[in-house]
Amino acid sequence: YLAWDGIRHDWIVTTTGNGINMAATLDPAKINIARGKLNGGEQGFTFSVWFNPYDLDGGQQVIAAKNRYSLGERQWSLAIEPNGTLSAYLSQGKWKVITSRVRPEAGRWHQAKLTVSAAKGVLYVDGKPVGAAALATPITPTQAPITLGGVNDNGLLRQQLLGAVDEAHYEE
């Protein structure tokens, strides 16, 4: 289990099950990163995060992700699309996209939650299910870190969020 409380600017890490080994960087000039065995596997995972978009017209903006594109490591993303709606991306050799019609309000806090099992992904916004997708196979584990506020693609920052994140939780 991993949780981050942005107000305290600290990662809160507890060890359950197989254990988790992670490190985090919280330098405001960098995207926040958690590294470790955060892969979900056959049992799946749940990830939730509070986010506050400041500008919905900034192209595709990633709220949270577990990807390093340049290394071929793709697992999942939560993103605000160029049209302002929220989507989830799940790796199935190519992206399986959970699209929603939800357009978060700029300047207001919202909660996004992604639950993924071996067979299905479900996207929730503010506690309500807004989309789902069947998966042909479980998401393949990678060494990519979980990043908040964009994608840290092996040092290259991509798809940065124009906004804030808080209270990120990951659980297997």
Side-chain angles (χ1 to χ4, degrees):
Y1 175 77
L2 162 71
W4 181 64
D5 180 347
I7 295 169
R8 293 178 4 151
H9 298 288
D10 192 15
W11 283 101
I12 303 161
V13 180
T14 59
T15 302
T16 60
N18 296 328
I20 296 173
N21 172 25
M22 56 187 64
T25 61
L26 295 175
D27 180 340
K30 296 179 181 176
I31 292 177
N32 300 305
I33 302 171
R35 292 183 178 91
K37 297 180 180 179
L38 306 175
N39 282 308
E42 295 276 338
Q43 72 273 19
F45 67 90
T46 297
F47 179 84
S48 65
V49 63
W50 284 89
F51 69 101
N52 185 342
Y54 300 155
D55 184 352
L56 297 174
D57 297 322
Q60 187 182 55
Q61 302 175 52
V62 171
I63 298 162
K66 192 167 186 328
N67 304 314
R68 284 191 294 198
Y69 308 127
S70 63
L71 299 178
E73 297 176 344
R74 293 169 171 82
Q75 285 186 251
W76 58 268
S77 310
L78 289 171
I80 298 171
E81 299 297 346
N83 68 2
T85 60
L86 194 65
S87 293
Y89 290 78
L90 305 172
S91 180
Q92 293 285 281
K94 60 181 184 174
W95 289 118
K96 183 78 167 194
V97 183
I98 302 173
T99 56
S100 78
R101 294 183 181 181
V102 174
R103 184 178 166 91
E105 183 180 335
R108 182 172 171 261
W109 286 97
H110 302 274
Q111 185 187 48
K113 181 167 92 171
L114 178 63
T115 61
V116 177
S117 68
K120 183 178 180 182
V122 181
L123 175 61
Y124 300 81
V125 178
D126 297 327
K128 298 176 184 170
V130 297
L135 301 178
T137 62
I139 295 174
T140 303
T142 73
Q143 291 300 310
I146 291 176
T147 56
L148 304 175
V151 174
N152 184 330
D153 185 7
N154 205 32
L156 179 61
L157 305 182
R158 299 180 183 270
Q159 300 159 290
Q160 295 179 45
L161 175 68
L162 303 174
V165 297
D166 198 5
E167 297 185 31
H169 296 267
Y170 178 92
E171 190 166 357
E172 293 183 345

